[in-house]
Amino acid sequence: MKSQKIIGITGGIGSGKSLICKIFSTMNIPIYDADSRAKYLINNDLFLKNSIKNLLSKNAYLPTGKYDRKWVASQVFNNPNLLKQLNSLVHPCVHKDSHDWVKKYSKSPFLIYEAALMKAAGDNNMFDKVIVVNAPINLRIQRIQIRDKRSEQEIKDIIARQISDEERLKIADYVIENDDKEPVLEQVLELYEILVGQVSNLLQKTG
């Protein structure tokens, strides 16, 4: 029985999951940002870069060597099969990277893995528990408008392509309400105590 716990955290765009991760990081909990790491690997992992070029052509990267996100999006947006093939290249690379990261922080009581897409804990993944950060859609739209300077329609289109809040809440072991009403810091601190307590109990059983 492992004593370390790996906690997934997810939420729709504008829910504030990155804010929650920042709070956890101030308590020295390592954070793995799957989306950021995927972008890094796409730009820096030579094997992955070559695989993407073989799939989509050299146009997937600019002459500078940087991934041309807009061009790639234009190719896969209305081609689900091509998008699936692209994901089949990126996801295993991120999977390996995340497992290397877990080994690196083997002495931390628990780890936080942040991703926009996630399955329930134990559903063919490494997670022991899943946190869902929840917020009303109208508030999420306001936040994204301020953060990204996108139009309301653009944001609604992005939200429509994501899974619904109802579906996301079904996989939640814990829910943090980031609705500007419930104090977020108190919720995170309470959850931190719960998670540390669970690890302590495991250590006592295995000690």
Side-chain angles (χ1 to χ4, degrees), residues 22-173:
K22 285 179 182 176
I23 297 173
F24 274 114
S25 71
T26 65
M27 295 182 279
N28 295 319
I29 299 302
I31 310 293
Y32 186 89
D33 182 342
D35 297 335
S36 293
R37 287 301 297 173
K39 290 174 185 175
Y40 174 84
L41 293 166
I42 284 170
N43 279 290
N44 294 279
D45 186 286
L46 291 178
F47 179 80
L48 179 58
K49 288 179 74 170
N50 288 331
S51 298
I52 291 172
K53 287 177 184 177
N54 288 336
L55 175 67
L56 300 174
S57 88
K58 64 180 182 180
N59 292 328
Y61 289 84
L62 298 168
T64 59
K66 186 177 180 182
Y67 187 62
D68 192 341
R69 178 175 288 275
K70 286 186 178 180
W71 184 87
V72 172
S74 72
Q75 302 302 301
V76 303
F77 186 76
N78 290 314
N79 192 331
N81 184 53
L82 191 59
L83 176 60
K84 184 177 180 180
Q85 291 181 68
L86 177 61
N87 286 336
S88 73
L89 298 177
V90 176
H91 289 170
C93 197
V94 174
H95 182 74
K96 180 183 181 302
D97 184 69
S98 66
H99 277 267
D100 291 342
W101 172 80
V102 169
K103 292 175 185 175
K104 180 179 177 182
Y105 292 103
S106 60
K107 293 186 178 179
S108 180
F110 67 90
L111 309 175
I112 298 283
Y113 183 111
E114 176 189 355
L117 294 174
M118 195 167 288
K119 293 183 178 180
D123 187 1
N124 294 316
N125 58 41
M126 67 174 93
F127 308 131
D128 295 285
K129 300 287 183 180
V130 169
I131 302 167
V132 170
V133 183
N134 195 45
I137 287 181
N138 288 342
L139 181 57
R140 289 163 56 192
I141 291 172
Q142 290 175 21
R143 288 171 180 163
I144 303 160
Q145 283 178 316
I146 294 169
R147 185 189 72 191
D148 297 345
K149 310 301 180 187
R150 294 177 183 266
S151 70
E152 183 174 342
Q153 189 56 51
E154 279 183 295
I155 299 164
K156 286 182 176 178
D157 289 344
I158 293 171
I159 291 173
R161 292 197 295 269
Q162 296 186 334
I163 67 170
S164 69
D165 290 343
E166 291 74 20
E167 287 298 312
R168 196 178 289 108
L169 288 169
K170 287 179 182 178
I171 70 168
D173 295 292

Side-chain angles (χ1 to χ4, degrees), residues 15 134-136 139 143 176-184 187:
S15 62
N134 195 45
L139 181 57
R143 288 171 180 163
I176 292 178
E177 295 290 348
N178 187 19
D179 55 7
D180 288 353
K181 294 178 182 177
E182 299 290 329
V184 167
Q187 294 179 71

